[in-house]
Amino acid sequence: MDLPDYFAEYETSKTGIAMEPLQQFGPFVSILLIFISAAFTDNILLARFLGMCSCLGVSKNVDTSVGLGLAVIFVTACTAALNYLVYRHLLVPLGLEYLRLITFIMVIAAFVQLIEMVIERLSLTLYYALGIFLPLITVNCAILGVCLFMLNKPYGFVQTFFFGLGSGCGWFLAITIIGGIREKIDESGLPKGLVGPGITLIIIGIMSLAFVGFSGMIRI
Amino acid sequence: MTSILLAVAFLAGIGLLLAALLILAERKILNYGPCKISINDGARELEVQGGASLLSGLAQNEIFVPSACGGRGSCAYCKVRVLEGGGPVGPVETPYLSPKELEENVRLSCQVKVRNDLLIAIPGELFAAKRYTGVLERKRPLTYDIVELRIRLQEPDGMDFLAGQYVQLESEPYKGRDAVMRAYSVSSAPSDRNHIELIIRRVPDGIMTTWVFDYLKEGQTVHFSGPYGEFRLSETDAPIVFIAGGSGMAPIYSILKDMKEKGIRRKAVYFFGALTQKDLFFIDDLKKLEEEHPWFAFVPALSSEPEGSDWKGKRGLITQIVKEALAEASTHEAYLCGSPGMIDACIKVLTEGNMPEEHIYYDKFT
């Protein structure tokens, strides 16, 4: 079986355009730009609509939103970097790029489980505070999304890490704002049919309109 | 062909690698080593392997903390005080702990993981609780939905308990239902230490009672642990009010037999509440006790008996009957056994009759 090398194809066709603005800057500025674009212009929750189910479930108040958000930041940044290494140094040399999906999922699941153990050992308070959120992250599609998107970008290891970090921060920002709004909205009377996920989806829709304003600010 | 093999080998390899990593991590990170558990100011010291729950750690050392749900954190029977080393209270426990219990460091022992040395306090009687094996000697229906089980103890062959205490009966798995443990008060007298009798009412769809009613046969081996519970006669001379309905009769029946045998002659009146005549049992025995002993009075009352039937006793809700019979109860002691609703209603009536709350002892079905 001869499968196309997605990575190489991408580099020749599109990266020429994509890399251009980045190459004007030094390494630090380019990392900053990657971070900001991942967090704002390409916000994973509001622009790409990923990680929606855990967002709907958990964004009832700010506290839980912050808890899950922080966990997502950490896991996204680390798994993006880990999966980058796995992809570049295992999958590509072996010609097994088409196994990236299942490989990434396994790496993410194992990593989350490892983190769960470490947190249980280090801080029981944090362990209880995160509770079910931590295992939930395993199936948070935002994290898998970040790992897959990074393949389409010509990033190096450090850049990938900051791309993951930025995406995580964007998700954190979005769910925290949604949590805050939902807390406020709980106090006001809502039409019965809108209570819960209904109004949350409307909030997310309006917020993503606001985030459209960022689009085009940075193109990388 | 090679590409398929390569893919399979790669996936298997990475799966193995990750699994090995996790196993290693669990050994390294979650290894708490042997931990010491010191109970009741050093009355007993145990050493258990860290990582398991406190409940199972105690059970391994033959200290049977009652538990009906098998460690899932839903029955809240397994409460113990963890004075040191318990860590923060988990989210599963909080709904079951009152502010007072939280202050006293009460925890659900099934939810406390042994991670370091612990200092705990348990009721002293739990040291005496053991796991028993017995044979079901007799199973007889008392009413259409209540049976009495008589169990002969085999291993150990005798149990010392106080009238009013309960045991945890263990069911066996059947038809996809797991084995469970449920608490039942002993209805026989402590003097017969080779036997216990239990009174069990069928709960529709109940895992345990379905097993008892439909699967358990005479001659079968049964397991239980015990004795447990603080429900027992106080050592005062105050006149006694017993209130119980249905299978709540069990601990009171045991206490009455014990009083008779030991020659305790405190004044006692037993209000027995039921719906109709077919819910009554042990009536002849109790009537006989009433006739033979001037200190005892038995008052059965039916709340839903049809008008004009041959019932000669009292009619009405048990709370109503108690209220009429006992307008002034400040010197009495009350012993209640039944559903939470019935107990709360009775406590209200009794306190209205000026009975101090600390004179009211109760055993709530949960």
Side-chain angles (χ1 to χ4, degrees), chain A residues 80-98:
Chain A
L82 262 178
N83 279 331
Y84 175 86
L85 294 178
V86 170
Y87 188 80
R88 269 297 179 82
H89 297 292
L90 283 174
L91 290 174
V92 173
L94 290 172
L96 293 171
E97 292 95 332
Y98 62 97

Side-chain angles (χ1 to χ4, degrees), chain B residues 337-358:
Chain B
C337 187
S339 64
M342 169 241 159
I343 286 183
D344 293 339
C346 287
I347 290 176
K348 191 161 165 273
V349 168
L350 292 168
T351 45
E352 276 166 12
N354 294 326
M355 186 179 288
E357 269 200 56
E358 60 270 23

Side-chain angles (χ1 to χ4, degrees), chain B residues 171-353:
Chain B
S171 73
E172 281 166 15
Y174 63 92
K175 263 201 184 166
R177 304 288 196 112
D178 290 332
V180 292
M181 286 203 266
R182 293 286 183 267
Y184 293 102
S185 294
V186 181
S187 62
S188 53
S191 55
D192 184 2
R193 53 189 301 282
N194 307 113
H195 291 89
I196 59 162
E197 287 171 10
L198 308 175
I199 297 175
I200 299 175
R201 168 178 242 150
R202 187 193 271 271
V203 179
D205 263 343
I207 299 176
M208 171 59 89
T209 59
T210 308
W211 177 73
V212 167
F213 276 78
D214 301 343
Y215 293 86
L216 184 61
K217 301 264 175 338
E218 285 180 3
Q220 199 170 323
T221 304
V222 286
H223 300 283
F224 64 90
S225 59
Y228 305 111
E230 308 279 348
F231 189 72
R232 66 185 68 144
L233 211 54
S234 71
E235 287 177 0
T236 62
D237 285 323
I240 303 164
V241 183
F242 294 116
I243 308 174
S247 52
M249 162 94 78
I252 289 164
Y253 201 56
S254 175
I255 290 175
L256 284 171
K257 279 194 269 194
D258 195 43
M259 286 173 73
K260 187 176 113 184
E261 283 167 9
K262 288 193 176 143
I264 300 170
R265 294 296 172 255
R266 288 165 67 176
K267 272 220 155 311
V269 53
Y270 178 14
F271 295 96
F272 180 62
L275 290 173
T276 60
Q277 283 197 63
K278 66 183 170 89
D279 295 298
L280 295 172
F281 58 94
F282 288 164
I283 298 299
D284 297 339
D285 296 332
L286 288 163
K287 283 258 195 277
K288 200 169 140 229
L289 188 71
E290 185 180 26
E291 278 159 24
E292 287 171 1
H293 297 279
W295 50 270
F296 177 63
F298 179 53
V299 185
L302 301 180
S303 60
S304 306
E305 181 70 5
E307 291 286 330
S309 71
D310 61 343
W311 174 246
K312 304 230 165 33
K314 296 215 180 276
R315 288 164 187 264
L317 276 175
I318 199 71
T319 43
Q320 200 55 43
I321 309 290
V322 172
K323 199 172 191 170
E324 283 161 16
L326 221 71
E328 172 56 41
S330 55
T331 56
H332 289 64
E333 276 177 6
Y335 296 83
L336 320 178
C337 187
S339 64
M342 169 241 159
I343 286 183
D344 293 339
C346 287
I347 290 176
K348 191 161 165 273
V349 168
L350 292 168
T351 45
E352 276 166 12

Side-chain angles (χ1 to χ4, degrees), chain A residues 1 86 90-91 94-96 98-99 102-103 106-107 109-111 113-114 117-118 120-121 124-125 127-128 131, chain B residues 3-4 6-7 10-11 14-15 18 21-22 25-26 28-32 87-91 107 111 113 115:
Chain A
M1 253 196 299
V86 170
L90 283 174
L91 290 174
L94 290 172
L96 293 171
Y98 62 97
L99 288 179
I102 189 164
T103 313
M106 286 201 308
V107 170
F111 185 77
Q113 218 169 343
L114 193 73
M117 286 181 206
V118 172
E120 185 182 349
R121 185 74 208 224
L124 269 184
T125 325
Y127 180 68
Y128 285 139
Chain B
S3 67
I4 294 175
L6 187 65
F10 176 78
L11 279 185
I14 204 151
L18 291 173
L21 206 74
L22 282 179
E26 199 188 356
K28 279 270 172 233
I29 300 174
L30 295 184
N31 179 10
Y32 298 97
V89 179
R107 303 286 299 269
Q111 298 297 315
K113 212 165 159 181
R115 296 185 167 92

